[in-house]
Amino acid sequence: MGLFDIFRKKKNNVEPESTTTSESLSELQSESLSQSNSETTTSSALTQPVMEQVGLVDEHEADEWSKALDKKSEAIHDLPESESESESESESESESESESESESESEIEVERNEQQVYDEGLKKSRTGFAERFNRFLANFRTVDEDFFEDLEETLVGADVGFDMAIKISDELREEVKLANAKRKEDVRDVIIKKMVDLYEADGVNEDTQMHFAPNGSTTVILFVGVNGVGKTTTIGKLASKYQQAGKSVLLAAADTFRAGATKQLQEWGERANVPVVAGKEKADPASVVFEAVAKARDEHYDILFVDTAGRLQNNVNLMQELEKMKRIIQREIPDAPHEVLLVLDATTGQNALQQAKLFKDSSDVTGIVLTKMDGTAKGGIVFAIRNEMHLPVKWIGFGEKASDLREFKPDEFVYGLFKELVS
Ligand SMILES: Nc1nc2c(ncn2[C@@H]2O[C@H](COP(=O)(O)OP(=O)(O)OP(=O)(O)O)[C@@H](O)[C@H]2O)c(=O)[nH]1
């Protein structure tokens, strides 16, 4: 099933406000149950087909970590099972039927909760997108050259990126369906479907999994990005998540440039109950990294998160320093860093894309954390990143609280962004 089909299915069946009747719930249960037969471990039944398509479900190594993270989901999944264990064999069929019903109701609840986080976090973008599209459609008379020009302008304005806008408009020129579309709603549906299809096609070989060190040795994750994008906050959020999932976490405050950066990380460390290795103000960041890596390795920490200074893309010295940090990490743990996550602020739009290009060229970025998604009215940046950068978005930030960081899930994202735009 394609991403757009998943979208449609959700639109018709899983709208939170409209699925409170027992009738619609039981429809969902049977869907959810039939999908879960082929399911492995994902907490989201509707996410599975997308994961299969992008080749994620075979990645068992990272699966264990992902499972540990989704504690809430596990707790809900566990409950009916342990209840059924304690039941005697002579229990009536109707009792076990109602139990399996309540189990799938719980599964649906988990699915909806995750979707709700996306829905809330994407509210601004969804409204912004809808406004742009409705303005564009209000001018719709016929599918001619002006129509395509307006469409490109609308898409660029929504931050999907120039390349993606041209690609969408070029492909739509070939669409017989669009040429025959008379109603505004049909035109809108064809455009959104094209966007979702192109987005999905661009992501076929994308690796959105987090990578960890093999055999329980220390995983090192380096965070890079310009000033103020949310590196320290993201590290704090991830430290909480993994700590709560039972992993031992260590933080390295290698941002020794900005006064207050170390203190900020230490505060997150206290909140998450994880230690922080810090140096003196203006100390050589590499020395902090060295000390932290040695400690993490010798004391067998599961994960070390390294916070780095906000580096300016035109500052060669700072880029060189990042390289130096990597060399030091590699000297102590040869296969590290296991991830270099570039943090980008979604509210900066195309500027974020420029940053991504520069960082990708000068450091081995393995994935993106897109922060402040709650604060932008132009969610299209996600399309531009995939289309132009071919870098996977691994995490998405919807706010300042620890629980506002989520694993990036394309189907939840697409649905949260477009759900009011497709009939
Ligand atoms: N609304 C919102 N704010 C966020 C999010 N992530 C981070 N922030 C805020 O962004 C601001 C900057 O975050 P920091 O974590 O200090 O950024 P940084 O990249 O470490 O900055 P430097 O240390 O200067 O390089 C803080 O006020 C955070 O609370 C998010 O997902 N949503």
Side-chain angles (χ1 to χ4, degrees), residues 50-330:
V50 177
M51 292 176 79
E52 280 171 0
Q53 277 174 18
V54 296
L56 296 183
V57 282
D58 293 331
E59 298 277 343
H60 291 297
E61 187 190 316
D63 204 31
E64 187 202 323
W65 293 79
S66 159
K67 266 193 284 175
L69 271 180
D70 210 350
K71 279 190 119 186
K72 191 175 174 191
S73 150
E74 278 179 13
I76 294 169
H77 279 263
D78 280 345
L79 187 62
E81 272 172 30
S82 57
E83 274 174 6
S84 74
E85 270 167 28
S86 65
E87 280 166 5
S88 74
E89 277 175 13
S90 62
E91 264 184 347
S92 73
E93 232 174 66
S94 65
E95 272 176 332
S96 58
E97 261 171 30
S98 73
E99 190 183 301
S100 74
E101 267 173 29
S102 72
E103 186 175 344
S104 42
E105 273 175 34
S106 301
E107 280 176 24
I108 291 159
E109 200 50 42
V110 172
E111 167 74 16
R112 287 178 62 194
N113 285 342
E114 187 67 5
Q115 184 65 65
Q116 275 169 355
V117 173
Y118 271 73
D119 286 355
E120 278 159 32
L122 290 170
K123 197 169 170 197
K124 223 169 159 180
S125 275
R126 182 165 57 248
T127 315
F129 241 104
E131 277 171 8
R132 269 168 215 283
F133 257 87
N134 291 337
R135 268 203 306 275
F136 159 69
L137 286 170
N139 295 330
F140 170 74
R141 297 285 170 271
T142 178
V143 179
D144 55 12
E145 251 332 286
D146 287 348
F147 167 87
F148 287 110
E149 266 179 37
D150 285 355
L151 173 65
E152 284 159 23
E153 219 171 274
T154 304
L155 294 172
V156 169
D159 261 355
V160 301
F162 186 71
D163 291 1
M164 179 89 176
I166 299 294
K167 206 162 148 184
I168 291 167
S169 128
D170 280 353
E171 290 208 9
L172 283 172
R173 278 170 220 264
E174 313 292 319
E175 291 264 338
V176 181
K177 219 172 150 194
L178 182 61
N180 293 335
K182 295 280 175 283
R183 297 184 321 140
K184 290 181 184 192
E185 302 81 65
D186 298 336
V187 171
R188 193 184 56 190
D189 283 8
V190 174
I191 295 169
I192 301 292
K193 181 171 182 339
K194 178 57 67 186
M195 282 180 82
V196 175
D197 287 351
L198 281 177
Y199 176 68
E200 189 175 19
D202 279 340
V204 165
N205 296 316
E206 200 171 84
D207 177 10
T208 58
Q209 293 275 15
M210 285 285 279
H211 293 276
F212 297 93
N215 310 322
S217 44
T218 301
T219 296
V220 182
I221 301 181
L222 192 63
F223 288 79
V224 299
V226 304
N227 291 325
V229 286
K231 294 181 297 297
T232 310
T233 309
T234 300
I235 291 175
K237 290 171 176 176
L238 283 174
S240 291
K241 259 185 207 300
Y242 284 103
Q243 207 271 353
Q244 279 170 25
K247 304 292 171 190
S248 57
V249 178
L250 183 67
L251 307 182
D255 179 357
T256 56
F257 286 99
R258 181 168 71 84
T262 297
K263 193 164 174 283
Q264 194 188 341
L265 194 69
Q266 281 165 333
E267 281 166 8
W268 274 105
E270 267 170 44
R271 238 174 282 161
N273 202 19
V274 305
V276 180
V277 174
K280 291 202 182 73
E281 214 182 311
K282 307 286 177 216
D284 180 0
S287 69
V288 178
V289 171
F290 173 76
E291 200 189 316
V293 175
K295 181 178 168 73
R297 185 200 51 210
D298 297 346
E299 298 177 21
H300 308 291
Y301 278 89
D302 290 320
I303 316 178
L304 168 66
F305 291 119
V306 182
D307 193 10
T308 63
R311 31 210 77 247
L312 300 170
Q313 56 268 36
N314 55 4
N315 192 326
V316 177
N317 287 342
L318 288 173
M319 285 294 180
Q320 282 173 346
E321 197 175 277
L322 194 58
E323 273 309 306
K324 187 172 157 192
M325 279 189 215
K326 273 179 67 183
R327 279 199 307 276
I328 286 165
I329 294 170
Q330 270 156 4

Side-chain angles (χ1 to χ4, degrees), residues 8-34:
R8 267 275 162 76
K9 201 168 175 179
K10 281 195 184 193
K11 175 83 184 171
N12 294 329
N13 295 329
V14 201
E15 273 288 25
E17 295 81 1
S18 61
T19 53
T20 47
T21 64
S22 55
E23 223 172 280
S24 53
L25 199 60
S26 60
E27 270 171 34
L28 285 172
Q29 283 162 4
S30 53
E31 259 171 30
S32 173
L33 283 174
S34 68

